[in-house]
Amino acid sequence: VRDESDKAHTSASERESLLEKGVVIFDSYVEFAVKLEKKGVISKGSLAFVAERTAEVLRTIKYSTKAQATARFAEFRAALKGVEAAIPNLRTTHPTIYEKLTASLDSKGEPSTVDGYVDKAKAAATMAWGISKSFVK
């Protein structure tokens, strides 16, 4: 939950305090899935599924600005660190996550989008479906 300057509305400590009360605030589906896996709600396999699907969907979204695309990819990379912490051998067991992420970057390592995008609502619905599907351990 961020404002137009891409600054989070809640601090990390506020988020942790709210999490203890059962309120989950997250910036990306991957970050949410990491929190669910830590709580034992979803499996590591489901966590990897959400990360892989997000890597695939990220590049299909038409972003309003380059800065917006860069911010979303940065969120994904930050959340991916949580996935890697939960699944230390992630690069070996799920290399397609990294292949899809790399395919989404240009020669400078910046996000590049593809022609024929999926609109944001459809992308969000797809990710929500993936997360709900992953609740089965």
Side-chain angles (χ1 to χ4, degrees):
V1 183
R2 296 175 176 270
D3 62 22
E4 289 184 20
S5 69
D6 208 40
K7 181 181 177 195
H9 289 281
T10 53
S11 69
S13 62
E14 288 173 305
R15 289 176 182 218
E16 286 302 315
S17 175
L18 288 168
L19 182 60
E20 290 173 10
K21 297 173 185 170
V23 177
V24 181
I25 297 177
F26 57 93
D27 292 320
S28 72
Y29 289 111
V30 176
E31 179 186 354
F32 181 53
V34 167
K35 290 178 181 188
L36 291 176
E37 190 279 329
K38 282 182 182 177
K39 293 281 189 186
V41 176
I42 65 172
S43 67
K44 291 182 186 310
S46 296
L47 175 59
F49 171 82
V50 172
E52 185 170 345
R53 188 70 182 119
T54 301
E56 184 178 325
V57 169
L58 266 179
R59 71 188 193 108
T60 65
I61 298 171
K62 183 176 182 180
Y63 298 94
S64 301
T65 64
K66 186 75 166 180
Q68 185 185 56
T70 300
R72 298 302 72 83
F73 275 78
E75 284 172 1
F76 177 71
R77 286 187 183 116
L80 191 57
K81 290 178 183 178
V83 180
E84 291 167 339
I87 309 170
N89 58 347
L90 187 69
R91 283 188 183 270
T92 305
T93 58
H94 297 85
T96 54
I97 295 171
Y98 300 93
E99 292 163 6
K100 289 174 182 178
L101 178 60
T102 301
S104 301
L105 304 174
D106 63 19
S107 60
K108 296 177 186 173
E110 295 180 0
S112 62
T113 55
V114 295
D115 294 333
Y117 64 91
V118 175
D119 67 47
K120 293 174 187 173
K122 185 174 179 184
T126 301
M127 288 310 305
W129 173 84
I131 288 175
S132 65
K133 180 181 171 192
S134 70
F135 274 94
V136 178
K137 277 190 158 186

